[in-house]
Amino acid sequence: MRKLITILALLIITAVTTRVEAQCSICTRTAQQLGERPAKALNKGIIYLAFAPLTIMGFVGFRWWRSQGSEERSSGDIR
């Protein structure tokens, strides 16, 4: 559990401190026409909308990974 908390903390720190550009080519062209401040807001909106589905997929993947690990431990098969 401690290892999981450490990994999550590192991911959160990386996400907060890393500058991310999440614009497709159409959004980039539109943002260039809007100016700097609206372009930053558009970029933050794209990140915000992408966060929920990526979090859900990560949670489902983690649960699947954990269930696969518990099946291998319970079968007594040591590799």
Side-chain angles (χ1 to χ4, degrees), residues 5 11 46 58 64:
I5 293 172
L11 288 174
I46 292 169
W64 175 77

Side-chain angles (χ1 to χ4, degrees), residues 18-67:
T18 305
R19 184 171 178 224
V20 180
E21 300 293 330
Q23 295 177 354
C24 65
S25 60
I26 296 170
C27 295
T28 301
R29 188 164 286 152
T30 303
Q32 287 173 348
Q33 294 172 354
L34 293 174
E36 184 177 339
R37 191 169 180 192
K40 287 183 180 181
L42 178 65
N43 194 36
K44 287 180 183 180
I46 292 169
I47 298 289
Y48 176 75
L49 290 173
F51 184 74
L54 291 174
T55 303
I56 292 168
M57 287 188 301
F59 178 74
V60 169
F62 175 75
R63 295 289 295 188
W64 175 77
W65 175 72
R66 288 285 302 242
S67 69

